[in-house]
Amino acid sequence: MADTVDPITASVIQHRLTAIVEEMGEAMLRTSYSQILNSSRDFSAAMVDRDCQLVAQAEHIPVHVGAMPWAAKAVRDYFGADVHEGDLFLVNDPYLGFGSHLPDVTVFAPVFVEGVVAFWTINRAHHSDIGGSTHGAYNPSATEIFHEGLRIPPLRLWDRGKPKRDLLDMLAANVRHPRDFKGDLAAQIGSVKLGERRLKSLVDSFGATTVLQACRQILDGAEIRARAEIQTWKDGVYFGEATLDDDGHGREDIKIRAKVTVDGSNVEVDLSESDPESTAFVNSSFANMQSACAQTLAYLIDPTIPKNAGAFRPLSVIAKQGTIVWSNDGLPVTMCTSHCSNEIIEAIIVALAEACPDKAMAGWGRRLRIAIKGQDPRNGRTFIWHMFHARPGAGASPGGDGWHNSGEWHSAGGLKFGSVEVAEARFPLHFRRHEFRPDSGGNGQYRGGAGVDMEMVVETAGDAVANTAGDGQRHGARGILGGSDGEPHFYRQRSFDGTEHPLPSKATGLPVKAGDVFIVSSGGGGGWGDPTLRCSNHHADDVTDGFTSR
């Protein structure tokens, strides 16, 4: 095998790999059935090499991609040499397959080069329902993972190009909307098979030796650049902390504690002093915890460095099983991709703010979703709608103000709320109001992004039912380096008779009458830096633009 590939060829191959995963994502977007995928884009595409090192990812959902290599290892180790051309594999189990949480179903296609598996193309998608005790997968009342839905350990879905239809039917029979489940899974299969074809075409163009060597150089190059940047950070041991509101089972102010050591070009994150695990769904699975740590490094290094396995080699993670960041087998974890993922990121960045203040950003708003199940009077069909609208604001950074209405740290703007008009066309909902929330972003030299004020009328046929799942009603997004915290969420439900009551952040079985109104005020991002250093013209613009009232 050649020792090196010339830099121009390596660069061309790197961009081809990125184009492949981006095209996989476009195929998923255009063929999936559910609103949560074809509008809100809650999916990700990536590829790993034979050693399950992340080679390329598209700009989808960071918390997905960081966990994918762990799931790929679970599939590889489970099946060993029993992998063939045309096989497809499936996994979602956090404990038996290194999944993140049960709604995120992951599909893998092995890519053979010269008779051996050289790559895996991967698509992870959040399904709108995965069975379990309540609709929409998020079950705040769960005390064990069996309450949260169907567990899928590493499983062969296609065998040498032939779909195992009995297995697919069994899976679909355990979810509330089997048609959507099958359609979304078919879109995932199409995505990874497309990636497989494109990779084989790339190998045909350049030759196996050149492509495989280029991949090694791409990873090594990302490592060199990441280490060079970390080397500029101030060596030392730093401490950060972030707080969950509660677990929905009566336990409040759950702490995630990060001890971060910067030593030359190495970063060690120690989360072992975090609070004990919960009986509720705010626990993190192992792969999700690892992903949150990798995300944090990705947010702090130069954005032009490819976010692949090489870039993450300087990072090591220490954690203790039985804590909130790494729960024991069998406990519920469905909320983990949002919370405590956001808080893991926040604790690490708070710790590192002293080491690299010119890189650290303030906290992003937190996730608080509403899932409504009811009947659409226009067609008589039942539906499950997940609220991706009214997203919170992003944290400010040394580069400027936070983005408005951008979402949470774990997705970094990758999740979309989609068109209000399309949502109204597809579901019996009417949005009376969806606008930026004044005074929601934290003050600072750079201001946190604004959240949203939303009013939405439910126009179902008869009674519906809602669940809430999230955090951030007591603790807003963290201000940093002198900036103030963003405002927390404030959610309410107004009944058709005019009575109004606050919505809890973690509840199931909330009754919804036709004509009820959900009033949502989502939190803003944290501020960055001393507010007295903010330009007076920017203060005036804030008032003029309606982002502040004073």
Side-chain angles (χ1 to χ4, degrees):
M1 180 175 289
D3 291 335
T4 59
V5 174
D6 71 88
I8 293 175
T9 301
S11 179
V12 170
I13 291 172
Q14 178 181 331
H15 285 83
R16 283 280 296 272
L17 294 171
T18 302
I20 290 169
V21 289
E22 288 175 347
E23 188 179 5
M24 289 169 62
E26 284 300 306
M28 182 70 190
L29 178 68
R30 297 170 191 277
T31 58
S32 53
Y33 280 37
S34 299
Q35 161 258 343
I36 198 171
L37 300 176
N38 60 32
S39 180
S40 299
R41 304 182 183 221
D42 198 348
F43 62 81
S44 299
M47 67 177 72
V48 299
D49 65 13
R50 69 182 69 183
D51 297 318
C52 297
Q53 298 182 101
L54 181 65
V55 172
Q57 61 169 305
E59 292 185 359
H60 293 140
I61 313 299
V63 76
H64 282 173
V65 179
M68 282 182 184
W70 297 95
K73 290 175 187 175
V75 170
R76 179 200 64 186
D77 294 347
Y78 185 85
F79 288 97
D82 187 18
V83 176
H84 313 281
E85 286 267 13
D87 286 356
L88 286 175
F89 301 91
L90 203 64
V91 75
N92 80 340
D93 195 293
Y95 299 110
L96 301 176
F98 283 129
S100 49
H101 65 171
L102 296 184
D104 284 346
V105 177
T106 310
V107 177
F108 306 82
V111 182
F112 283 78
V113 174
E114 297 181 345
V116 298
V117 177
F119 299 97
W120 296 83
T121 55
I122 310 174
N123 182 291
R124 174 165 287 183
H126 184 118
H127 284 250
S128 62
D129 189 82
I130 198 67
S133 300
T134 189
H135 69 275
Y138 289 86
N139 182 6
S141 64
T143 57
E144 54 183 357
I145 196 169
F146 305 104
H147 298 153
E148 297 190 299
L150 180 65
R151 298 177 68 175
I152 308 170
L155 176 153
R156 195 192 315 267
L157 189 65
W158 281 23
D159 188 355
R160 294 174 173 86
K162 295 182 178 179
K164 300 170 75 171
R165 300 195 182 280
D166 54 346
L167 190 56
L168 176 59
D169 288 343
M170 186 278 292
L171 296 173
N174 281 277
V175 302
R176 289 172 176 82
H177 286 169
R179 174 185 173 275
D180 286 1
F181 178 84
K182 284 186 172 182
D184 292 335
L185 191 58
Q188 291 185 263
I189 291 168
S191 171
V192 297
K193 294 298 287 183
L194 173 64
E196 178 190 13
R197 292 196 301 273
R198 296 291 187 261
L199 268 172
K200 288 185 173 182
S201 175
L202 178 66
V203 171
D204 288 342
S205 298
F206 288 91
T209 299
T210 298
V211 171
L212 295 175
Q213 180 58 35
C215 287
R216 294 185 183 90
Q217 291 176 212
I218 291 165
L219 300 188
D220 291 345
E223 178 183 6
I224 290 168
R225 292 185 63 193
R227 288 192 180 279
E229 183 154 336
I230 294 167
Q231 196 92 36
T232 67
W233 299 355
K234 181 182 175 183
D235 281 0
V237 180
Y238 306 97
F239 297 88
E241 187 174 278
T243 307
L244 283 159
D245 285 355
D246 61 87
D247 66 358
H249 292 193
R251 182 177 165 197
E252 296 184 341
D253 294 337
I254 301 168
K255 303 290 186 182
I256 286 83
R257 299 180 180 91
K259 173 185 172 184
V260 185
T261 303
V262 179
D263 182 10
S265 65
N266 294 302
V267 178
E268 178 188 87
V269 173
D270 186 346
L271 301 170
S272 57
E273 294 303 313
S274 297
D275 278 356
E277 64 193 10
S278 171
T279 57
F281 68 168
V282 295
N283 297 300
S284 179
S285 60
F286 174 83
N288 180 76
M289 177 264 293
Q290 292 281 350
S291 179
C293 295
Q295 281 177 257
T296 309
L297 183 62
Y299 295 160
L300 293 172
I301 61 177
D302 188 327
T304 65
I305 297 174
K307 303 308 183 290
N308 57 36
F312 301 130
R313 286 173 186 165
L315 174 68
S316 59
V317 179
I318 299 171
K320 183 168 65 178
Q321 193 166 11
T323 59
I324 195 73
V325 302
W326 180 11
S327 58
N328 281 303
D329 192 348
L331 285 173
V333 295
T334 301
M335 198 68 230
C336 75
T337 54
S338 299
H339 307 291
C340 59
S341 181
N342 265 33
E343 289 70 30
I344 294 172
I345 298 167
E346 188 170 283
I348 298 170
I349 289 185
V350 167
L352 284 171
E354 186 180 343
C356 52
D358 59 331
K359 299 292 183 181
M361 71 182 90
W364 289 46
R366 302 191 179 191
R367 184 78 173 106
L368 207 177
R369 71 175 63 217
I370 301 170
I372 300 174
K373 178 186 176 186
Q375 187 181 60
D376 190 335
R378 299 169 296 185
N379 53 32
R381 296 176 184 167
T382 60
F383 69 91
I384 299 174
W385 178 76
H386 293 265
M387 188 187 81
F388 280 84
H389 297 75
R391 303 191 71 75
S397 73
D401 293 349
W403 300 326
H404 308 300
N405 187 209
S406 292
E408 308 81 23
W409 233 335
H410 70 276
S411 61
L415 292 175
K416 314 296 183 184
F417 67 75
S419 163
V420 165
E421 290 78 13
V422 169
E424 290 178 330
R426 296 179 66 177
F427 300 95
L429 307 169
H430 171 58
F431 290 82
R432 287 180 178 168
R433 183 184 183 200
H434 194 284
E435 58 193 44
F436 294 136
R437 178 188 177 190
D439 303 315
S440 56
N443 199 6
Q445 181 179 353
Y446 298 110
R447 183 178 295 281
V452 167
D453 284 322
M454 183 189 87
E455 290 189 21
M456 183 193 72
V457 185
V458 178
E459 298 179 337
T460 50
D463 295 347
V465 62
N467 299 335
T468 60
D471 204 73
Q473 290 186 319
R474 295 177 60 238
H475 298 285
R478 186 75 165 268
I480 202 167
L481 297 170
S484 59
D485 295 351
E487 285 295 307
H489 299 307
F490 183 36
Y491 282 32
R492 292 155 286 162
Q493 182 179 354
R494 182 187 300 146
S495 299
F496 65 94
D497 62 4
T499 59
E500 192 174 293
H501 61 272
L503 279 174
S505 63
K506 302 169 183 71
T508 60
L510 299 171
V512 181
K513 300 284 187 182
D516 280 4
V517 181
F518 285 93
I519 305 166
V520 170
S521 295
S522 62
W528 187 97
D530 184 350
T532 64
L533 299 178
R534 186 167 179 79
C535 172
S536 59
N537 289 338
H538 292 168
H539 277 302
D541 290 343
D542 293 338
V543 176
T544 300
D545 295 337
F547 295 121
T548 63
S549 60
R550 56 191 180 277

